[in-house]
Amino acid sequence: MSKALDGVRILDFTHVQSGPTCTQLLAWFGADVIKVERAGAGDITREQLRDIPDVDSLYFTMLNHNKRSVTIDTKNPEGKQVLEALIQKCDVLVENFAPGALDRMGFTWERIQELNPRMIVASVKGFGPGPYEDCKVYENVAQCAGGAASTTGFDDGPPVVTGAQIGDSGTGLHLALGIVTALFQRTQTGRGQRVLAAMQDGVLNLCRVKLRDQQRLERNGTMKEYPQYPNGTFGEAVPRAGNASGGGQPGWILKCKGWETDPNAYIYFITQAPVWAKICNVIGKEEWATHPDYATPAARLPHLKDIFAEIERWTMTKTKFEAMQILNKYDIPCGPILSMKEIAEEPSLRKTGTIVEVDHPTRGKYLTVGNPIKLSDSPTEVKRSPLLGEHTDEVMAELGYSPEQISALRTAGAI
Ligand code: COA
């Protein structure tokens, strides 16, 4: 079966996490992704957090599936020529170097346009234009500067970063959308363009509801669904809301049977208004369905702590999975806190290709997260990440270099 991005060639100049997540997605949709790395070293993540000596790390392998790897020294004059040939042959150049690095290599936007006016140049940077535009940025910096950390955690504790890589993988996703949109526009204009996804912007986009709350707070001085209401105090900025739900239906994380020894024996419980009577029945508080202090969402707001304490008395008598089964029968929205171990072993995720086992020549079998976006006409087949420079000769031959020329370039240290 053909793939959605068949025929699209990506010159992948990305490294670490943000850029590689983007180009991995494009590869899963069928693009030919040619990853350019430095000979002898490669993407720094190949050797970071290694669990097996001298073998590409899981950090690298899980972010670089379905790509080809070529080694080019882009600071070597002959290496530069190879890169120029690639720019002329590809549709998109994706990079997430520190600000200015591509220009310092000699590949300014103007130069790239001279070489290939149809080229789309897509970049992840930490910040957009402004006071921090020259800064190098990693995941947690973006989480802090994008508003996630100040709004995550509990009221009486420090800001907290989340395990979800919203700065890196989140921005990679934003960039991928920018790229396919630019490719679509190119079908009309015939021209390439620059695509920028700044990590601060990407995180803020994902924290949009918190900017909503900032304005609600400034107007009314309080927010009734926050745990600070009614007894705590609100300051000038959106406070950390613990596990409160970000939407209009109050929710909280509650203990389940076994919580004393299992750190993940918890369930997320949402007291959705339309199923309030059913919740009262399930937890044995039938009288709350009609009691004036509990019958309506507005009446319940000042009592949320007591309500969740009462529901927790019930959830603590059940495992998270037993509670799920019972609550789902009544359409009460809830979710088990799943550990990574439980997710890795979940058969339904294996069946849909969301968790995939991949075989690798030096590492052996490992688990990875497959494509979370499923296209019915462009199914994803997850293929192992390339070894460093595995496809250099193949790609050079496609560019028209003879075996003798390739060997001379290798001797000169250009590839
Ligand atoms: N041949 C020759 N030189 C190469 C090369 C190649 N194939 N590939 C990279 N380089 C050079 C670059 O030109 C650059 O050289 P310069 O500084 O002399 O201009 C150098 O390698 C290092 O690149 P840089 O991006 O600065 O790497 P770093 O390890 O110092 O910084 C980041 C890493 C992630 C902090 C930085 O790249 C960054 O801020 N990126 C943008 C934001 C981002 O994506 N962050 C999230 C990462 S998950």
Side-chain angles (χ1 to χ4, degrees):
M1 194 184 270
S2 67
K3 296 282 158 65
L5 295 183
D6 267 350
V8 174
R9 272 196 218 99
I10 311 281
L11 177 48
D12 181 10
F13 238 144
T14 68
H15 63 157
V16 201
Q17 184 182 165
S18 64
T21 41
C22 165
T23 50
Q24 177 169 262
L25 273 173
L26 301 174
W28 281 338
F29 290 136
D32 177 13
V33 176
I34 302 167
K35 183 168 173 113
V36 177
E37 298 179 83
R38 235 182 309 205
D43 187 326
I44 192 164
T45 60
R46 283 188 188 267
E47 60 169 50
Q48 279 179 337
L49 311 178
R50 270 187 177 148
D51 56 327
I52 307 173
D54 304 324
V55 166
D56 284 341
S57 72
L58 286 165
Y59 196 3
F60 177 84
T61 54
M62 290 178 73
L63 288 165
N64 290 285
H65 293 104
N66 296 59
K67 303 181 185 177
R68 299 197 282 171
S69 166
V70 300
T71 51
I72 304 174
D73 180 350
T74 58
K75 289 186 174 159
N76 173 305
E78 287 171 285
K80 270 196 176 98
Q81 281 172 13
V82 177
L83 196 67
E84 285 180 2
L86 271 172
I87 289 173
Q88 281 162 333
K89 210 172 156 80
C90 290
D91 301 280
V92 187
L93 185 159
V94 192
E95 62 95 19
N96 68 311
F97 290 127
L102 201 58
D103 290 356
R104 285 195 292 279
M105 263 180 213
F107 293 100
T108 59
W109 167 239
E110 292 71 25
R111 175 70 189 130
I112 292 170
Q113 276 196 307
E114 263 168 36
L115 292 165
N116 180 359
R118 287 173 58 79
M119 173 65 88
I120 290 158
V121 177
S123 305
V124 171
K125 294 287 167 262
F127 294 93
Y132 304 122
E133 65 187 304
D134 292 330
C135 297
K136 289 189 175 184
V137 168
Y138 284 106
E139 171 69 45
N140 289 343
V141 175
Q143 288 198 23
C144 294
S150 72
T151 53
T152 304
F154 286 87
D155 199 24
D156 56 357
V160 173
V161 294
T162 159
Q165 304 288 283
I166 55 178
D168 280 339
S169 290
T171 309
L173 266 167
H174 283 88
L175 192 73
L177 178 59
I179 290 169
V180 291
T181 306
L183 280 167
F184 183 73
Q185 192 174 11
R186 196 181 71 172
T187 61
Q188 311 296 321
T189 63
R191 280 196 316 275
Q193 62 181 299
R194 277 176 290 180
V195 180
L196 170 67
M199 293 168 73
Q200 181 184 40
D201 300 5
V203 170
L204 177 58
N205 184 35
L206 300 175
C207 287
R208 180 173 293 261
V209 297
K210 298 295 178 181
L211 186 57
R212 171 201 69 193
D213 289 350
Q214 180 63 33
Q215 295 170 85
R216 292 172 60 222
L217 179 66
E218 283 171 19
R219 191 176 301 279
N220 299 321
T222 187
M223 289 181 292
K224 293 182 178 170
E225 80 284 13
Y226 272 61
Q228 289 78 1
Y229 177 82
N231 303 317
T233 50
F234 286 91
E236 286 187 339
V238 174
R240 295 186 262 290
N243 288 316
S245 138
Q249 308 287 350
W252 201 254
I253 288 184
L254 305 177
K255 290 172 184 155
C256 290
K257 197 173 175 176
W259 66 273
E260 299 90 338
T261 50
D262 177 356
N264 296 305
Y266 289 83
I267 192 165
Y268 199 90
F269 194 107
I270 297 177
T271 56
Q272 194 206 14
V275 289
W276 177 243
K278 291 179 188 170
I279 294 171
C280 297
N281 277 339
V282 168
I283 64 168
K285 293 291 269 183
E286 288 82 357
E287 67 277 17
W288 276 2
T290 49
H291 191 291
D293 283 350
Y294 299 93
T296 66
R300 288 195 287 278
L301 284 175
H303 307 295
L304 283 180
K305 259 194 195 118
D306 301 338
I307 290 170
F308 284 122
E310 192 60 41
I311 300 173
E312 191 171 62
R313 268 191 274 284
W314 178 81
T315 56
M316 281 165 72
T317 66
K318 311 273 178 281
T319 68
K320 60 190 175 191
F321 297 114
E322 288 165 352
M324 275 287 288
Q325 237 177 2
I326 297 167
L327 297 170
N328 277 336
K329 264 202 310 226
Y330 299 106
D331 282 337
I332 300 168
C334 57
I337 308 303
L338 293 182
S339 68
M340 271 302 151
K341 182 167 165 41
E342 287 165 331
I343 288 172
E345 291 165 0
E346 173 56 46
S348 65
L349 293 176
R350 300 283 183 111
K351 220 169 154 190
T352 57
T354 296
I355 300 278
V356 187
E357 192 175 75
V358 183
D359 206 357
H360 185 275
T362 55
R363 140 172 307 282
K365 289 194 165 55
Y366 66 95
L367 285 187
T368 195
V369 184
N371 192 345
I373 305 165
K374 320 287 197 235
L375 267 61
S376 61
D377 258 7
S378 180
T380 295
E381 186 197 340
V382 178
K383 295 190 191 144
R384 70 164 174 88
S385 58
L387 300 173
L388 179 59
E390 186 176 344
H391 304 96
T392 306
D393 288 29
E394 181 182 295
V395 170
M396 295 291 288
E398 285 168 15
L399 290 174
Y401 287 87
S402 68
E404 295 71 32
Q405 286 171 314
I406 296 172
S407 136
L409 283 169
R410 194 162 275 130
T411 311
I415 59 172

